[in-house]
Amino acid sequence: MRILLEPILIAILAGCAIFLIPKRFRRVTETFSLITSLYLFIAAIRIFVHPAIENRLFYLDGLSRLIVLAIGFFGVVVSLYSMRFMSSCKRFRSYYAYLVWTIGFSMLAAVSNNMILLLASWGFLGFTLFMLINVESPAAASISKKTFIIIGSSDALMLMGFAMLWLITGSLTLSGTRISIDNPLAFWSFLLIAIGAFAKAGAMPFHTWIPDTAKEAPIPVTAFLPASLDKLLGIYLLARLVLGLFILNKFSYALLMVIGAVTIVAAVMMALIQHDFKKLLGYHAVSQVGYMVLGIGTGNVMGIAGGLFHMLNHAIYKSCLFLSGGNVEYKTKTSELDSLGGLAKVMPLTFFTTLIASFAISGVPPFNGFFSKWMIYQGLIEKGRSGGVLWIFCIVAAMFGSALTLASFIKLIHAIFLGKAKGESRATSRRSRDEAPWSMWLPAMILAVLCIIFGIFAYVVPLKGLIMPALPSGLKFIGIWPSLKAALFLLIGLGVGFLIYLAGNFKGMRETSPYIGGEQLSKDMRLSGIEFYRTIEEMPFIKGLYLKAEGKLFDIYEQGKKLVFFFIRILQYLHNGVLPTYLVWCLLGMVVILFSIVR
Amino acid sequence: MLKYLFNFIIFPGFLFTAAVGLVASWIDRKVTARIQWRVGPPWYQPLADLVKLSIKEIMIPRDSYKPAFLISPLIGLSAVILASTFVWLPNLELAKTGFTGDIIVIIYLLTLPAIAIILGASASGNPLASLGVSREIKLILAYELPFIICLLVPIIKSNGLLRLGELVVYQRMNGSFISSPSGILAILVAIFCMQAKLGLVPFDVSEAETEIMAGTHIEYSGILLAVLKLTRFMMMVVVPVFLTTVFWGGFSVWKYVVLLVIIILMRNTNPRLRIDQAVRFFWGKMAAIAVIAVLLSVLGE
């Protein structure tokens, strides 16, 4: 009990304390929040090794341990990164305070066993998210409002779902009950709570806040909340629902699978055509949720384990991508793909981290993303053994989505790092190395190395240590992708190729200018990468879909806005500001009241 | 471990597949020559070409990002060696080798050479190479969709077997998948996808020598080009063998030759497609046929 309460209380107090530090002492604030997050990480490790707890307020099992540990870890990484990236932020005190509070309340949400406690911490997280998004620029105000409305209204639906759950069970404690979903009230309760989870994690159709946030919010905030913490919590809640609270029926599993599959493909198609790398990454943060929901929707242990593993992997590589992107933005002051280019030579470390994370997210073996996707596919095929055709659609969506992911990352890497830079842009004027400061590349590097370790030693490190304890029944592998052996052999293969290279004539190696049919290469002869998929964009059917998406037809916020404004217009018509009209309404109302009393 | 090392480097991994690949490439050139009423090269010509490339000087474009430019041919080679080991072993030792889900791993590994060449070409800093990259990645997107769908046919028909070895055993017991309507449709689609995977006419858009001067390969020379060519030769072995294993009850020499002849004939009798035509072809006709094949297989045909 104390082990859980202590870090959360300290996080709350530390957040308050940050506001008390005078504004002059920026360094003190930064160091203080870094130390706090380090403390929280250590506390998370202590919670991780702590035996299970179950009482009226708290619930600690394998799953919540995993989430708490991950929250603590990402807290440290982002705090370290922010020290330099946010150094020009004026409202840095609120930034760090909300950061620390976010870590604390996320931990609270992950261990709470009481509906009210869970809802309160969940709601507070929505508030810190809102504050963090517009901490830097006023341009983000409308986006943070949109985020707050989507998250807030889904929280309200979730509250309703929990209320229904309370009606059924009559207790506020979450653990210890399993309700069959066949009862309509239970089904609606499940659906409403799941909407809360979906909005947090960013599954369709509640995803629209993520790409916009990614574009406008400071990068550490995006890397911290939509990319890692919100995914962890959203999927955590979903896993709790599926594994603990409810016994799902066929229909609800199918619903989850469809949501997952559609999210994967639709979001990645949108990512394909983005011109701003932050927005591109934002759409991927949506698309990857699809895999997690799909994995959990299979309902078998393999699929759920895959979904949870993918959640962890996604948090790692996506925050790595955002942080690396932050390095690029920090150095070049732009996130437009078209004005970037040729940064591989300038920022080799950032290039390396981006490359590794891109391979991981595209599911290239032997990195971690491949392992979890492979598990999800297996879960789907296992599901297919019991018949049905839905799994076929889902597996095609998942595998093809992986190819599309790869495609959009090729575009990103080509445009930012490998392709030529635009004529006179800032990036080209510097030929020499100009890497981001260590406090920025190091967090990204840690995450990139984790991508490799979690991929190669997947079975020994993350699965055995983190994922398997989180599942109720033991996960059995019939045969396993021998990632370590395969990685070793891929290395040997590189060695074989290197031996062949030795036979080559490297003495006669010389530098030449690129050959383009004998013409002189001029500065404007370049292909940035943003035009890569123009042919696909222009294809009949697909073009129509893209036009509709750009017209925000699939944005639940915009459509909701339209609906609200429709009703508002009716009300506006009534509220015309003319006193006699109001008097007439009052009179009418009184007549109705009188009539009902007299009758 | 030592056995695996042997499998990986000598037989049936690197050396064996490379040798078969050289022979296949020779057959390709010989048949092509005969079709065009020429004599054709002697049997050792592909090897002689590689040796010749190894003594040629290596040129590296000035603007390139050298580490990526130099290492990416190796990544492709390494991936294709691993893929060939995974594909061959179940054919040789049946159910003993492989692991559940190796079919998925092979699909991914077979894409790696293309990713490697994309990386290298992007790093070369040549706008024509960038154009090749753009075409190559679109081609991957194009053929990957029907390829995935048609590979589901054997999985569905065998009720969820995911291991190449088990698939071979299953086909030996129940007849190969190709003897059913869905299997025929599936392998038809797979053959077209194979042609695109190998980057041969009519899907050689990313190289298109007459348009963008070998596109992705434009800046590669000397031993670097030799490694790329070797990778290509090995792909010419691995992909057809993979198809025979999955759809056609396991490898045998004549099945491989049949597939090779189909590849060669297709490449000699067709003009190159534009990239948008290729994308439309795969996402339209091919995907539709693949879906029909899957539906048939669900119905048990």
Side-chain angles (χ1 to χ4, degrees), chain A residues 256-467:
Chain A
L256 286 182
M257 281 168 72
V258 169
I259 289 175
V262 170
T263 303
I264 292 172
V265 174
V268 80
M269 284 303 273
M270 288 307 292
L272 215 53
I273 58 161
Q274 297 307 318
H275 293 181
D276 180 300
F277 73 74
K278 290 200 280 189
K279 215 163 174 193
L280 189 149
L281 291 177
Y283 272 109
H284 279 293
V286 177
S287 157
Q288 297 292 313
V289 183
Y291 285 97
M292 309 167 205
V293 175
L294 187 57
I296 290 175
T298 59
N300 52 45
V301 183
M302 183 59 121
I304 293 175
L308 289 178
F309 191 26
H310 201 74
M311 163 195 81
L312 197 61
N313 289 339
H314 171 268
I316 293 169
Y317 53 63
K318 184 48 63 61
S319 33
C320 178
L321 282 168
F322 270 117
L323 296 185
S324 310
N327 292 352
V328 171
E329 200 194 16
Y330 182 77
K331 281 287 169 195
T332 61
K333 309 282 173 245
T334 178
S335 62
E336 278 292 319
L337 288 177
D338 191 35
S339 41
L340 291 162
L343 286 180
K345 274 190 250 180
V346 185
M347 309 170 79
L349 293 170
T350 304
F351 172 59
F352 176 76
T353 53
T354 314
L355 193 67
I356 297 291
S358 307
F359 279 165
I361 195 175
S362 324
V364 172
F367 299 107
N368 58 356
F370 174 73
F371 202 106
S372 44
K373 279 182 188 171
W374 178 82
M375 283 170 73
I376 293 169
Y377 301 153
Q378 279 213 337
L380 279 169
I381 289 167
E382 207 174 303
K383 175 118 188 154
R385 289 215 180 99
S386 54
V389 283
L390 186 62
W391 70 278
I392 300 174
F393 162 71
C394 291
I395 200 170
V396 169
M399 291 184 82
F400 186 55
S402 163
L404 289 165
T405 308
L406 175 72
S408 63
F409 276 97
I410 298 259
K411 166 179 165 175
L412 182 129
I413 284 173
H414 188 277
I416 298 181
F417 292 104
L418 295 174
K420 273 173 56 117
K422 208 174 195 172
E424 267 77 43
S425 84
R426 283 172 51 92
T428 40
S429 55
R430 285 183 305 233
R431 275 270 155 258
S432 55
R433 270 189 63 168
D434 187 16
E435 187 55 73
W438 71 270
S439 68
M440 292 176 68
W441 65 256
L442 184 69
M445 188 60 81
I446 293 172
L447 294 168
V449 170
L450 271 183
C451 282
I452 300 176
I453 293 177
F454 275 28
I456 293 178
F457 302 100
Y459 191 66
V460 193
V461 184
L463 277 177
K464 241 185 194 150
L466 301 172
I467 306 294

Side-chain angles (χ1 to χ4, degrees), chain B residues 89-290:
Chain B
L89 278 182
N91 279 302
L92 301 169
E93 301 168 23
L94 283 180
K96 273 185 285 177
T97 52
F99 47 92
T100 317
D102 55 0
I103 185 166
I104 299 170
V105 175
I106 291 166
I107 296 173
Y108 275 83
L109 281 177
L110 287 180
T111 330
L112 254 179
I115 301 171
I117 187 66
I118 283 171
L119 194 64
S122 306
S124 73
N126 187 317
L128 290 175
S130 297
L131 212 53
V133 165
S134 150
R135 291 178 175 194
E136 176 81 39
I137 184 69
K138 273 181 282 198
L139 194 64
I140 293 181
L141 285 186
Y143 67 69
E144 207 70 357
L145 180 66
F147 194 57
I148 294 164
I149 301 177
C150 71
L151 279 175
L152 285 175
V153 168
I155 297 175
I156 296 168
K157 286 185 81 76
S158 64
N159 197 19
L161 288 185
L162 266 184
R163 211 158 116 181
L164 277 187
E166 285 173 349
L167 277 174
V168 174
V169 173
Y170 181 88
Q171 292 185 75
R172 294 221 171 131
M173 312 248 286
N174 305 315
S176 61
F177 297 124
I178 205 169
S179 56
S180 64
S182 59
I184 289 178
L185 288 180
I187 199 170
L188 180 79
V189 175
I191 285 171
F192 279 103
C193 296
M194 170 172 72
Q195 194 80 354
K197 241 183 191 344
L198 297 176
L200 297 173
V201 186
F203 305 112
D204 65 334
V205 274
S206 73
E207 283 166 52
E209 275 162 359
T210 46
E211 296 169 16
I212 52 173
M213 294 175 273
T216 44
H217 289 55
I218 187 168
E219 290 298 345
Y220 279 102
S221 54
I223 193 78
L224 308 177
L225 186 61
V227 170
L228 288 179
K229 288 213 157 174
L230 191 62
T231 310
R232 166 96 15 121
F233 295 160
M234 289 174 72
M235 284 291 276
M236 232 162 127
V237 181
V238 179
V239 185
V241 172
F242 180 57
L243 293 197
T244 55
T245 315
V246 174
F247 294 106
W248 206 349
F251 168 81
S252 75
V253 178
W254 70 269
K255 289 175 191 164
Y256 174 65
V257 171
V258 167
L259 284 183
L260 197 63
V261 167
I262 293 177
I263 291 172
I264 296 167
L265 287 182
M266 207 196 299
R267 109 182 175 88
N268 276 299
T269 51
N270 283 288
R272 179 186 312 123
L273 291 177
R274 269 196 333 260
I275 181 66
D276 60 320
Q277 290 170 327
V279 174
R280 219 170 295 156
F281 174 74
F282 279 114
W283 285 5
K285 286 194 196 86
M286 284 299 119
I289 297 175

